[in-house]
Amino acid sequence: MNQRIFPLHLEYFSDSQPIPEQSGVHVLGRVSFGDKSPAATDGVDLLVPLDPLDSEPLSEVWTTDQLPTVGTHAGFETAETSELLFGAATLDCEDPEAAAQKLYGDLFEVLGERNFQNLLRIWNIVPRIGEDRAGLDRYMHFCRGRAIAFEQRHGQGFESLLPAASAVGSDRGPFVVWFIASKRAGIPRENPRQISAFQYPERYGPKPPSFARATLTPPCLGSELLLSGTASILGSESVHLNDTSAQLAETMENLRALLGKNGRIDSNHLRQLKVFVRDRSDYAEIREALMPLIQTGTQIMFLRADICRPELLLEIEGLAVQAPSTATALGTTPVAH
Ligand code: 3EB
């Protein structure tokens, strides 16, 4: 009892059990994976067609400290409080560029209508992301539509307003987007080991991907670090081709670099990791290699997904919070008291 109530909180819960109720805690949105929806919540419920790899499938549950108003705006299911807007939409469309323009155009309409100016986090599911379309892959088409939509909305310099994101591929179903926006701005963060995605050279596509490496939520929402999908990329290049364990190690280095040092979150705690795995047959190896690298109490879920570049075998996103000094960054030694 008397658990602290957070203004924005993420927890992974098993699909097979009801979400525990706590007075004063309200579900903004629940994102489940696979083909079977768990029982509905009072917030936005979304089913994403990526297969869970864990024996006990988990849902991503975002909660807040106010009772949200749920609704539908410009094709998005929304849950809204005075501080936060959670939204989700799906779209059947053959053309990934058109799909991105439509989804992001609608998203900006929702943000304008509800008066939420700040995107904190967005997730993108692109069906058959790696398939060729007129000499480019479908991910590149998606990136072009998304960049055009951002530029139409924010004009030149939109890059400084980009949220943390993930973009992975599904083998079935529609385009899916879900997002968290807030009244107050977060702070975008880039990774010193990587070229900003919005500055990738043209060989990765005619328009670069529109996302920040991480977003630090505003203090009123807990100054939590929302970590984008992160992969085995150094500079702008994929490294460790055909080597799952080396890609995992490089990805964890990239996540570590994002957690920051003095003056940022230095005593941090990784609360969640979501691991997207291209080949089911890599699941056991990745899981085994990952476990020793993480702190007790970090929640992990594994999903089968295509990664946006064909040579990437995995991608990992997460959430980190400032923690008491006894908590440690991933891979470091606990401090004794
Ligand atoms: C990368 O670093 C890997 O297009 O929104 C990660 C997170 C990746 C988000 C996106 C893509 C996106 O480029 C891929």
PDB file of all heavy atoms in Angstrom, residues 124 139 143 146 165-167 194 197 200 209-211 213 228-231 233 308-309 312 315, ligand 1:
ATOM      1  N   ASN A 124       6.371   3.258 -34.256  1.00  0.00           N
ATOM      2  CA  ASN A 124       5.903   3.050 -35.625  1.00  0.00           C
ATOM      3  C   ASN A 124       6.043   1.580 -36.005  1.00  0.00           C
ATOM      4  O   ASN A 124       7.124   1.007 -35.872  1.00  0.00           O
ATOM      5  CB  ASN A 124       6.773   3.837 -36.613  1.00  0.00           C
ATOM      6  CG  ASN A 124       6.875   5.311 -36.274  1.00  0.00           C
ATOM      7  OD1 ASN A 124       5.996   6.100 -36.595  1.00  0.00           O
ATOM      8  ND2 ASN A 124       7.970   5.690 -35.613  1.00  0.00           N
ATOM      9  N   TYR A 139      10.830   0.955 -45.737  1.00  0.00           N
ATOM     10  CA  TYR A 139      11.227   1.838 -44.630  1.00  0.00           C
ATOM     11  C   TYR A 139      11.643   3.215 -45.154  1.00  0.00           C
ATOM     12  O   TYR A 139      11.276   4.242 -44.574  1.00  0.00           O
ATOM     13  CB  TYR A 139      12.365   1.193 -43.838  1.00  0.00           C
ATOM     14  CG  TYR A 139      12.918   2.080 -42.736  1.00  0.00           C
ATOM     15  CD1 TYR A 139      12.092   2.554 -41.713  1.00  0.00           C
ATOM     16  CD2 TYR A 139      14.262   2.454 -42.728  1.00  0.00           C
ATOM     17  CE1 TYR A 139      12.603   3.364 -40.707  1.00  0.00           C
ATOM     18  CE2 TYR A 139      14.775   3.258 -41.720  1.00  0.00           C
ATOM     19  CZ  TYR A 139      13.943   3.713 -40.712  1.00  0.00           C
ATOM     20  OH  TYR A 139      14.441   4.520 -39.724  1.00  0.00           O
ATOM     21  N   CYS A 143      10.081   6.756 -44.185  1.00  0.00           N
ATOM     22  CA  CYS A 143      10.881   7.886 -43.673  1.00  0.00           C
ATOM     23  C   CYS A 143      10.625   9.161 -44.491  1.00  0.00           C
ATOM     24  O   CYS A 143      10.574  10.256 -43.934  1.00  0.00           O
ATOM     25  CB  CYS A 143      12.365   7.552 -43.710  1.00  0.00           C
ATOM     26  SG  CYS A 143      12.857   6.414 -42.395  1.00  0.00           S
ATOM     27  N   ARG A 146       7.223  10.583 -43.498  1.00  0.00           N
ATOM     28  CA  ARG A 146       7.291  11.126 -42.131  1.00  0.00           C
ATOM     29  C   ARG A 146       8.038  12.456 -42.108  1.00  0.00           C
ATOM     30  O   ARG A 146       7.592  13.424 -41.478  1.00  0.00           O
ATOM     31  CB  ARG A 146       7.973  10.100 -41.223  1.00  0.00           C
ATOM     32  CG  ARG A 146       8.161  10.565 -39.797  1.00  0.00           C
ATOM     33  CD  ARG A 146       8.675   9.456 -38.896  1.00  0.00           C
ATOM     34  NE  ARG A 146       9.911   8.831 -39.366  1.00  0.00           N
ATOM     35  CZ  ARG A 146      10.600   7.927 -38.680  1.00  0.00           C
ATOM     36  NH1 ARG A 146      10.164   7.512 -37.496  1.00  0.00           N
ATOM     37  NH2 ARG A 146      11.709   7.402 -39.168  1.00  0.00           N
ATOM     38  N   ALA A 165      11.822   7.634 -30.701  1.00  0.00           N
ATOM     39  CA  ALA A 165      10.929   6.776 -31.484  1.00  0.00           C
ATOM     40  C   ALA A 165      11.486   5.370 -31.614  1.00  0.00           C
ATOM     41  O   ALA A 165      12.661   5.116 -31.339  1.00  0.00           O
ATOM     42  CB  ALA A 165      10.715   7.363 -32.878  1.00  0.00           C
ATOM     43  N   SER A 166      10.600   4.480 -32.025  1.00  0.00           N
ATOM     44  CA  SER A 166      10.998   3.164 -32.517  1.00  0.00           C
ATOM     45  C   SER A 166      10.271   2.967 -33.833  1.00  0.00           C
ATOM     46  O   SER A 166       9.147   3.456 -33.995  1.00  0.00           O
ATOM     47  CB  SER A 166      10.596   2.052 -31.552  1.00  0.00           C
ATOM     48  OG  SER A 166      11.190   2.262 -30.288  1.00  0.00           O
ATOM     49  N   ALA A 167      10.909   2.276 -34.763  1.00  0.00           N
ATOM     50  CA  ALA A 167      10.249   1.902 -36.014  1.00  0.00           C
ATOM     51  C   ALA A 167      10.703   0.502 -36.363  1.00  0.00           C
ATOM     52  O   ALA A 167      11.894   0.271 -36.589  1.00  0.00           O
ATOM     53  CB  ALA A 167      10.594   2.868 -37.135  1.00  0.00           C
ATOM     54  N   GLN A 194      26.909   7.993 -32.213  1.00  0.00           N
ATOM     55  CA  GLN A 194      26.146   7.848 -33.461  1.00  0.00           C
ATOM     56  C   GLN A 194      25.861   9.208 -34.084  1.00  0.00           C
ATOM     57  O   GLN A 194      25.634  10.190 -33.364  1.00  0.00           O
ATOM     58  CB  GLN A 194      24.796   7.158 -33.181  1.00  0.00           C
ATOM     59  CG  GLN A 194      24.920   5.749 -32.624  1.00  0.00           C
ATOM     60  CD  GLN A 194      23.561   5.097 -32.439  1.00  0.00           C
ATOM     61  OE1 GLN A 194      22.658   5.669 -31.830  1.00  0.00           O
ATOM     62  NE2 GLN A 194      23.407   3.901 -32.977  1.00  0.00           N
ATOM     63  N   ALA A 197      20.139  10.458 -36.314  1.00  0.00           N
ATOM     64  CA  ALA A 197      19.419   9.779 -37.398  1.00  0.00           C
ATOM     65  C   ALA A 197      18.916  10.779 -38.440  1.00  0.00           C
ATOM     66  O   ALA A 197      18.942  10.505 -39.648  1.00  0.00           O
ATOM     67  CB  ALA A 197      18.261   8.968 -36.828  1.00  0.00           C
ATOM     68  N   TYR A 200      21.526  11.286 -41.090  1.00  0.00           N
ATOM     69  CA  TYR A 200      22.102  10.167 -41.840  1.00  0.00           C
ATOM     70  C   TYR A 200      22.334  10.585 -43.290  1.00  0.00           C
ATOM     71  O   TYR A 200      21.511  11.294 -43.872  1.00  0.00           O
ATOM     72  CB  TYR A 200      21.136   8.973 -41.851  1.00  0.00           C
ATOM     73  CG  TYR A 200      21.086   8.102 -40.604  1.00  0.00           C
ATOM     74  CD1 TYR A 200      20.069   7.163 -40.469  1.00  0.00           C
ATOM     75  CD2 TYR A 200      22.037   8.193 -39.596  1.00  0.00           C
ATOM     76  CE1 TYR A 200      19.987   6.337 -39.360  1.00  0.00           C
ATOM     77  CE2 TYR A 200      21.962   7.372 -38.480  1.00  0.00           C
ATOM     78  CZ  TYR A 200      20.938   6.450 -38.364  1.00  0.00           C
ATOM     79  OH  TYR A 200      20.852   5.639 -37.259  1.00  0.00           O
ATOM     80  N   PRO A 209      15.628   9.371 -41.256  1.00  0.00           N
ATOM     81  CA  PRO A 209      14.612   9.056 -40.243  1.00  0.00           C
ATOM     82  C   PRO A 209      14.418  10.236 -39.293  1.00  0.00           C
ATOM     83  O   PRO A 209      15.385  10.882 -38.904  1.00  0.00           O
ATOM     84  CB  PRO A 209      15.202   7.865 -39.485  1.00  0.00           C
ATOM     85  CG  PRO A 209      16.337   7.352 -40.329  1.00  0.00           C
ATOM     86  CD  PRO A 209      16.819   8.502 -41.133  1.00  0.00           C
ATOM     87  N   SER A 210      13.171  10.501 -38.925  1.00  0.00           N
ATOM     88  CA  SER A 210      12.849  11.660 -38.081  1.00  0.00           C
ATOM     89  C   SER A 210      12.642  11.211 -36.638  1.00  0.00           C
ATOM     90  O   SER A 210      11.524  10.929 -36.220  1.00  0.00           O
ATOM     91  CB  SER A 210      11.585  12.348 -38.606  1.00  0.00           C
ATOM     92  OG  SER A 210      11.700  12.634 -39.988  1.00  0.00           O
ATOM     93  N   PHE A 211      13.737  11.133 -35.880  1.00  0.00           N
ATOM     94  CA  PHE A 211      13.599  10.833 -34.447  1.00  0.00           C
ATOM     95  C   PHE A 211      14.849  11.269 -33.695  1.00  0.00           C
ATOM     96  O   PHE A 211      15.910  11.429 -34.280  1.00  0.00           O
ATOM     97  CB  PHE A 211      13.316   9.355 -34.190  1.00  0.00           C
ATOM     98  CG  PHE A 211      14.453   8.394 -34.481  1.00  0.00           C
ATOM     99  CD1 PHE A 211      15.264   7.916 -33.456  1.00  0.00           C
ATOM    100  CD2 PHE A 211      14.708   7.954 -35.776  1.00  0.00           C
ATOM    101  CE1 PHE A 211      16.302   7.017 -33.712  1.00  0.00           C
ATOM    102  CE2 PHE A 211      15.754   7.064 -36.045  1.00  0.00           C
ATOM    103  CZ  PHE A 211      16.550   6.595 -35.010  1.00  0.00           C
ATOM    104  N   ARG A 213      17.459  10.349 -30.385  1.00  0.00           N
ATOM    105  CA  ARG A 213      17.926   9.094 -29.763  1.00  0.00           C
ATOM    106  C   ARG A 213      17.229   8.828 -28.438  1.00  0.00           C
ATOM    107  O   ARG A 213      17.105   7.677 -28.007  1.00  0.00           O
ATOM    108  CB  ARG A 213      19.436   9.135 -29.560  1.00  0.00           C
ATOM    109  CG  ARG A 213      20.242   9.201 -30.837  1.00  0.00           C
ATOM    110  CD  ARG A 213      20.029   7.983 -31.716  1.00  0.00           C
ATOM    111  NE  ARG A 213      20.816   8.089 -32.964  1.00  0.00           N
ATOM    112  CZ  ARG A 213      20.716   7.233 -33.965  1.00  0.00           C
ATOM    113  NH1 ARG A 213      19.864   6.215 -33.899  1.00  0.00           N
ATOM    114  NH2 ARG A 213      21.437   7.388 -35.048  1.00  0.00           N
ATOM    115  N   SER A 228      15.040   5.637 -27.430  1.00  0.00           N
ATOM    116  CA  SER A 228      14.569   5.179 -28.733  1.00  0.00           C
ATOM    117  C   SER A 228      15.040   3.769 -29.028  1.00  0.00           C
ATOM    118  O   SER A 228      15.978   3.271 -28.401  1.00  0.00           O
ATOM    119  CB  SER A 228      15.107   6.107 -29.831  1.00  0.00           C
ATOM    120  OG  SER A 228      14.457   7.338 -29.798  1.00  0.00           O
ATOM    121  N   GLY A 229      14.426   3.172 -30.020  1.00  0.00           N
ATOM    122  CA  GLY A 229      14.958   1.933 -30.560  1.00  0.00           C
ATOM    123  C   GLY A 229      16.418   2.148 -30.901  1.00  0.00           C
ATOM    124  O   GLY A 229      16.766   3.137 -31.537  1.00  0.00           O
ATOM    125  N   THR A 230      17.260   1.227 -30.427  1.00  0.00           N
ATOM    126  CA  THR A 230      18.710   1.398 -30.529  1.00  0.00           C
ATOM    127  C   THR A 230      19.287   0.104 -31.099  1.00  0.00           C
ATOM    128  O   THR A 230      18.872  -0.989 -30.714  1.00  0.00           O
ATOM    129  CB  THR A 230      19.277   1.697 -29.127  1.00  0.00           C
ATOM    130  OG1 THR A 230      18.660   2.895 -28.643  1.00  0.00           O
ATOM    131  CG2 THR A 230      20.783   1.883 -29.142  1.00  0.00           C
ATOM    132  N   ALA A 231      20.216   0.264 -32.036  1.00  0.00           N
ATOM    133  CA  ALA A 231      20.741  -0.924 -32.712  1.00  0.00           C
ATOM    134  C   ALA A 231      22.249  -0.842 -32.830  1.00  0.00           C
ATOM    135  O   ALA A 231      22.890   0.061 -32.296  1.00  0.00           O
ATOM    136  CB  ALA A 231      20.089  -1.076 -34.090  1.00  0.00           C
ATOM    137  N   ILE A 233      24.664   0.306 -34.519  1.00  0.00           N
ATOM    138  CA  ILE A 233      25.068   1.326 -35.488  1.00  0.00           C
ATOM    139  C   ILE A 233      26.118   2.206 -34.822  1.00  0.00           C
ATOM    140  O   ILE A 233      25.919   2.692 -33.711  1.00  0.00           O
ATOM    141  CB  ILE A 233      23.854   2.164 -35.947  1.00  0.00           C
ATOM    142  CG1 ILE A 233      22.870   1.289 -36.740  1.00  0.00           C
ATOM    143  CG2 ILE A 233      24.314   3.355 -36.787  1.00  0.00           C
ATOM    144  CD1 ILE A 233      21.580   1.983 -37.137  1.00  0.00           C
ATOM    145  N   CYS A 308      14.668  -2.239 -39.277  1.00  0.00           N
ATOM    146  CA  CYS A 308      14.497  -1.420 -40.487  1.00  0.00           C
ATOM    147  C   CYS A 308      15.612  -1.604 -41.517  1.00  0.00           C
ATOM    148  O   CYS A 308      15.384  -1.460 -42.702  1.00  0.00           O
ATOM    149  CB  CYS A 308      14.337   0.037 -40.115  1.00  0.00           C
ATOM    150  SG  CYS A 308      15.737   0.686 -39.201  1.00  0.00           S
ATOM    151  N   ARG A 309      16.835  -1.907 -41.082  1.00  0.00           N
ATOM    152  CA  ARG A 309      17.893  -2.217 -42.042  1.00  0.00           C
ATOM    153  C   ARG A 309      18.052  -3.733 -42.095  1.00  0.00           C
ATOM    154  O   ARG A 309      18.095  -4.392 -41.047  1.00  0.00           O
ATOM    155  CB  ARG A 309      19.227  -1.600 -41.625  1.00  0.00           C
ATOM    156  CG  ARG A 309      19.234  -0.080 -41.618  1.00  0.00           C
ATOM    157  CD  ARG A 309      20.649   0.391 -41.294  1.00  0.00           C
ATOM    158  NE  ARG A 309      20.713   1.829 -41.088  1.00  0.00           N
ATOM    159  CZ  ARG A 309      21.822   2.478 -40.770  1.00  0.00           C
ATOM    160  NH1 ARG A 309      22.967   1.809 -40.625  1.00  0.00           N
ATOM    161  NH2 ARG A 309      21.814   3.788 -40.599  1.00  0.00           N
ATOM    162  N   LEU A 312      20.500  -5.587 -39.716  1.00  0.00           N
ATOM    163  CA  LEU A 312      20.373  -5.479 -38.257  1.00  0.00           C
ATOM    164  C   LEU A 312      19.541  -6.642 -37.727  1.00  0.00           C
ATOM    165  O   LEU A 312      18.460  -6.929 -38.241  1.00  0.00           O
ATOM    166  CB  LEU A 312      19.748  -4.144 -37.865  1.00  0.00           C
ATOM    167  CG  LEU A 312      20.614  -2.912 -38.150  1.00  0.00           C
ATOM    168  CD1 LEU A 312      19.843  -1.625 -37.847  1.00  0.00           C
ATOM    169  CD2 LEU A 312      21.928  -2.947 -37.366  1.00  0.00           C
ATOM    170  N   GLU A 315      16.999  -4.811 -32.150  1.00  0.00           N
ATOM    171  CA  GLU A 315      16.871  -3.400 -31.776  1.00  0.00           C
ATOM    172  C   GLU A 315      16.283  -3.374 -30.370  1.00  0.00           C
ATOM    173  O   GLU A 315      15.409  -4.179 -30.051  1.00  0.00           O
ATOM    174  CB  GLU A 315      15.949  -2.689 -32.777  1.00  0.00           C
ATOM    175  CG  GLU A 315      15.666  -1.230 -32.461  1.00  0.00           C
ATOM    176  CD  GLU A 315      14.840  -0.548 -33.569  1.00  0.00           C
ATOM    177  OE1 GLU A 315      15.140  -0.764 -34.767  1.00  0.00           O
ATOM    178  OE2 GLU A 315      13.883   0.175 -33.242  1.00  0.00           O
TER     179      GLU A 315
HETATM  180  C1  3EB B   1      18.699   3.418 -36.179  1.00  0.00           C
HETATM  181  O1  3EB B   1      19.350   3.790 -35.210  1.00  0.00           O
HETATM  182  C2  3EB B   1      17.963   2.120 -36.027  1.00  0.00           C
HETATM  183  O2  3EB B   1      12.904   5.364 -37.978  1.00  0.00           O
HETATM  184  O3  3EB B   1      11.870   5.927 -36.136  1.00  0.00           O
HETATM  185  C3  3EB B   1      15.571   3.103 -34.450  1.00  0.00           C
HETATM  186  C4  3EB B   1      14.609   3.899 -33.816  1.00  0.00           C
HETATM  187  C5  3EB B   1      15.605   3.014 -35.813  1.00  0.00           C
HETATM  188  C6  3EB B   1      13.682   4.621 -34.572  1.00  0.00           C
HETATM  189  C7  3EB B   1      12.772   5.325 -36.736  1.00  0.00           C
HETATM  190  C8  3EB B   1      14.669   3.731 -36.561  1.00  0.00           C
HETATM  191  C9  3EB B   1      13.733   4.540 -35.947  1.00  0.00           C
HETATM  192  O4  3EB B   1      18.665   4.038 -37.245  1.00  0.00           O
HETATM  193  C10 3EB B   1      16.589   2.134 -36.519  1.00  0.00           C
END
